[in-house]
Amino acid sequence: MAEKAVQRETVLSLRETIAQIENRRLPGVVRAAQAADPAGFRRQREEGSRNKILPLGVPPLDDVLGGGLPLAGMTEIRNAETRDAGAAAGFVTALAVLCQRRKREKGHLGPVLWISQGLASREAGLPYAPGLKSYGLDIERFLFVSIRTVKDALWVAETALSVPVFAAVVLEIRGNPACLALSESRRLHVRARAGGVPLLLFRQAGEEEASSAFFRLQIKPASAGERPLPDGSMLCGSIGHPAFHVLVEKSRAYASADIFLEWNAHDRRFYPIEQSVASQADGQSANSVDPFSASVGRSSGADQMGRLLAYARAS
Amino acid sequence: MRLVALDTLAERVGLRRGQGAAEARAMCPSLDVIIDDPAADRAFLEGLADWCDRYTPLVALDGKDGLFLDISGCAHLHGGEKALVDDVLSRLFLLGIEARAVISSSAGLSWAVARYGNAAVIAPEDAERVLAPLPVAALRLPAETVALLERVGLKEIGDLLHAPRAPLTRRFGSLLLLRLDQARGHADEPLSPRLPVPSFSAERRLAEPLQEEEHILELARHLSHDVRLSLERHGEGGRLFELLLIRVDGRVFRIQAHAAVPLNDADRIAALFRERLQAVHDDLDAGYGFEVLRLSVLRSERLDPAQQDFSGVPDESQPLAAFADKLCARFGPDCLTFATLAESHLPERAGGFAPLTDVAAVIGSRPVDEKACPENRPLRIFTHPELVEATAEVPDGAPRSFNWRKTQYRVARAEGPERVAAEWWIDGEGHPTRDYFRIEDQEGRRFWLFREGLYGRETSLPRWFMHGVFA
């Protein structure tokens, strides 16, 4: 009996392999078996999905994210104000560069799709090809869609997620539109997981809102370091690699995360920067006083969380 | 106001074309006068020409009130020439149109008989016999020539048929004999069809009209199968498809769908139209249903059959192309764009986006010149640079603070200037030079500002603009 089951599993896995080679959908038998036999197939699948994490190379951030950026599913990145859109766009682009590089290393084409609500790209500017290129993105594999309404943008995102080609799909939305509420974000998340594509929901100038994303990161601008000179010293008064202040607002980890990073376009990776340097350079004026003490064990939306049981819907 | 056209009843009363409207009213007080609208007449005629697509793809407009249909090789599909004429006339009658139709071996003869004669189908050997009793006006000649001919007593075409040719040409010009030869079928007269003739097409005529969108799609799928067979036989793939729908009342709809790669897959072709139908949903009024559907390939390209390999790496161009097609079908061809670089000093010209019409642009590697892409360019750029109020310590130095979108920013660090001169070979001379600065404000936001005009040399009041934001 056991032998028969093993044989059956071999046959099924062979069929699955053939289906993958022929680039077809799974035959009905295999799908039925997968559904019926969660013990066997699920375990394999979960092992597979554990690989689908992209470490960002910054230990504190990777710890909070549980290993890195999930490569199948939705991650939300937001910024509070339109004028911070540059920093947030930089962080999103950096993630896209990392996803693209990983996909390219595996021999895939790895195009990046950037879907932008028309209003968002009018307010914060259009992506600029030479800038993206010097940022490390392969712009020959960069597709940009500008769409007038959020509904259409969601449709494009969903369609793109069902195509298992893209290295990353960026969905740029402005504010908290009503037609991107919890159920829609759930739908996108499920699509992204099924398609095995990382979806970066870039919420420009948006409020904190409950969503189905794995993580929600808020990006704030941070002062960049100085440009290094060949002899190792720093060029005084120059603007070096772009830096970000990342606040992890939603995560599974029970720890506050307030991380300063910089993106090195030449190495195409993040480097942590020391918080002391960063916060000193953060431009906090000397007489500013924190209204509440920083809470421990809360994510960094902190001071509001105490009196909120659940979020009101922002959209 | 003068009368330009009359219906049968008005003709019977004795009204004439060119008569004044007031005079006509006096003759017949119950006269209905409708203002002439040539544009609407033209649109109506084009609508009819569309409708005639059901008989042949070669339909040409003729003046204000006629259509030429080249039915070579089509008549047998409709049960012969006589049956074809009867079918055309009875259908047009049902649409409320009074029409005359003649089939003959030359366009000129058909024109003459339809307007001045009385026959439905003319065999080639009968051409001269039918032509002889018709008036010379039936030869499509200018009015002066007709008047001249009538003055010398050449009233019927029969008088011209056997007259010596040289004196006729000398007296009336070469057009007369050309028209005569064309009517007799001795000279060739090419018709120019309104629409390009599709290289491949498949068609269904339905006894029961279709109304539901799903049914149309299902039929489109069947048609795609037929088209696929002929495409495959020629080793081609279609790039531009057209679905022609003829409604019961004669209204014609044409829906075009563009494919990003040459296609000969029936499901993919049908899928194109699924998105298109969604997009044109409101414009496609099914009314009482569609009775003729035709799928044509307007543009095709060579498509060599590709073999699947067993490397396990799936071909990524096909799903990408399918995605591009879906998007283009729904939102138009400009929706999906890819990044382009151009050799230009001006930042707004150096980078842009172009519509992705061919997936090969993404698949194949485009050689990008390294020099074309300077460092230190912002990640996002404003299409129209935004005016800011900036204060600088020295007129040609970096700003100390600036107001952008009603907020003040204090500059912590600045790099620059990077001087970008205007492109005189495009814009002409006299355009101000720009000095670009990378700026970081006190909270760490990085901007790209430029000052327009060199202080003292080009302007005394340089303006500042926000052109982009850095990461």
Side-chain angles (χ1 to χ4, degrees), chain A residues 222-291:
Chain A
S223 293
E226 292 176 331
R227 232 178 255 276
L229 289 172
D231 63 353
S233 63
M234 291 294 179
L235 178 62
C236 183
S238 61
I239 305 171
H241 298 302
F244 316 100
H245 179 188
V246 181
L247 298 163
V248 182
E249 289 179 339
K250 177 186 177 185
S251 74
R252 292 178 188 168
Y254 187 71
S256 146
D258 200 350
I259 300 155
F260 286 86
L261 301 175
E262 75 171 18
W263 170 253
N264 187 325
H266 183 259
D267 298 351
R268 292 189 190 170
R269 58 161 297 182
F270 285 112
Y271 287 101
I273 40 181
E274 297 89 56
Q275 198 153 347
S276 56
V277 178
S279 60
Q280 163 229 319
D282 198 22
Q284 296 284 339
S285 53
N287 54 0
S288 77
V289 180
D290 274 347

Side-chain angles (χ1 to χ4, degrees), chain A residues 83-84 90 108-109 123 125-128 131 140-141 143-145 152 155 172 222 224 227 238-239 243 283, chain B residues 275 316 330 336-337 347 353 362-363 366 368 378-381 405 407 409 413 415 438 440 442 445-446:
Chain A
R83 53 186 177 169
D84 298 340
H108 294 286
L109 213 56
E123 280 290 317
L126 280 173
Y128 185 52
E140 290 167 42
R141 313 272 185 273
L143 296 175
F144 179 71
V145 178
D152 290 342
W155 183 87
E172 186 180 14
R227 232 178 255 276
S238 61
I239 305 171
Chain B
E275 298 304 331
E316 288 179 315
R330 196 159 173 136
L336 183 64
T337 54
F353 290 96
V362 177
I363 304 287
R366 285 169 285 146
V368 177
L379 218 47
R380 316 194 65 145
I381 197 164
R405 293 186 181 173
T407 315
Y409 298 86
R413 284 183 280 178
E415 276 187 349
R438 282 184 84 192
E440 187 176 274
Q442 287 188 333
R445 302 184 190 95
R446 285 167 286 277

Side-chain angles (χ1 to χ4, degrees), chain B residues 33-257:
Chain B
V33 180
I34 300 161
I35 300 292
D36 179 34
D37 183 355
D41 286 348
R42 178 92 186 162
F44 181 71
L45 192 64
E46 296 210 336
L48 270 187
D50 268 339
W51 178 84
C52 286
D53 253 9
R54 61 196 290 139
Y55 298 108
T56 166
L58 293 162
V59 181
L61 296 179
D62 168 41
K64 288 197 300 183
D65 55 355
L67 291 176
F68 283 125
L69 273 66
D70 186 345
I71 56 156
S72 322
C74 302
H76 70 278
L77 298 172
H78 303 271
E81 292 176 344
K82 181 82 180 88
L84 176 62
V85 171
D86 290 345
D87 187 53
V88 172
L89 291 180
S90 65
R91 278 177 192 272
L92 284 176
F93 179 75
L94 288 178
L95 293 178
I97 296 163
E98 189 192 330
R100 289 159 164 226
V102 178
I103 292 182
S104 77
S105 51
S106 72
L109 182 57
S110 292
W111 195 93
V113 178
R115 282 172 175 75
Y116 296 92
N118 187 14
V121 180
I122 301 163
E125 59 273 14
D126 292 343
E128 293 202 355
R129 192 177 51 77
V130 175
L131 209 52
L134 299 182
V136 282
L139 283 178
R140 293 181 285 166
L141 293 170
E144 310 89 75
T145 319
V146 173
L148 207 60
L149 282 166
E150 282 178 347
R151 211 182 308 148
V152 298
L154 298 169
K155 289 203 159 80
E156 292 181 352
I157 298 177
D159 303 335
L160 298 169
L161 283 178
H162 302 292
R165 294 171 68 90
L168 277 182
T169 313
R170 210 163 44 234
R171 179 92 189 256
F172 303 105
S174 59
L175 185 69
L176 173 66
L177 283 172
L178 177 72
R179 291 294 189 211
L180 196 61
D181 286 345
Q182 281 176 346
R184 283 197 287 188
H186 294 175
D188 203 22
E189 184 180 1
L191 296 179
S192 51
R194 310 168 44 234
L195 303 170
V197 182
S199 31
F200 307 98
S201 67
E203 181 180 294
R204 285 289 150 82
R205 281 150 200 275
L206 309 163
E208 186 72 23
L210 285 185
Q211 279 174 312
E212 297 290 322
E213 208 171 286
E214 297 96 78
H215 297 166
I216 297 173
L217 277 174
E218 189 54 37
L219 199 61
R221 252 164 83 83
H222 285 288
L223 291 172
S224 335
H225 274 288
D226 297 352
V227 167
R228 185 188 73 105
L229 290 178
S230 36
L231 278 172
E232 232 167 39
R233 210 174 306 131
H234 288 83
E236 302 224 326
R239 287 294 302 271
L240 185 63
F241 296 89
E242 185 188 74
L243 188 65
L244 179 104
L245 301 144
I246 301 184
R247 211 162 67 178
V248 180
D249 60 357
R251 178 90 192 271
V252 176
F253 295 89
R254 292 171 189 275
I255 301 172
Q256 293 196 344

Side-chain angles (χ1 to χ4, degrees), chain A residues 291-313:
Chain A
F292 298 99
S293 59
S295 51
V296 180
R298 292 283 186 191
S299 56
S300 303
D303 44 8
Q304 282 195 359
M305 295 282 277
R307 55 186 167 81
L308 275 179
L309 283 179
Y311 287 118
R313 266 186 50 190

Side-chain angles (χ1 to χ4, degrees), chain A residues 110-134:
Chain A
V112 170
L113 180 70
W114 189 296
I115 305 159
S116 175
Q117 186 195 349
L119 187 62
S121 47
R122 266 199 301 282
E123 280 290 317
L126 280 173
Y128 185 52
L132 292 170
K133 187 173 154 59
S134 56

Side-chain angles (χ1 to χ4, degrees), chain B residues 424-444:
Chain B
W424 53 263
W425 57 97
I426 297 174
D427 300 322
E429 283 179 37
H431 269 260
T433 312
R434 297 173 181 181
D435 275 349
Y436 277 92
F437 290 90
R438 282 184 84 192
I439 280 169
E440 187 176 274
D441 78 345
Q442 287 188 333
E443 273 141 75

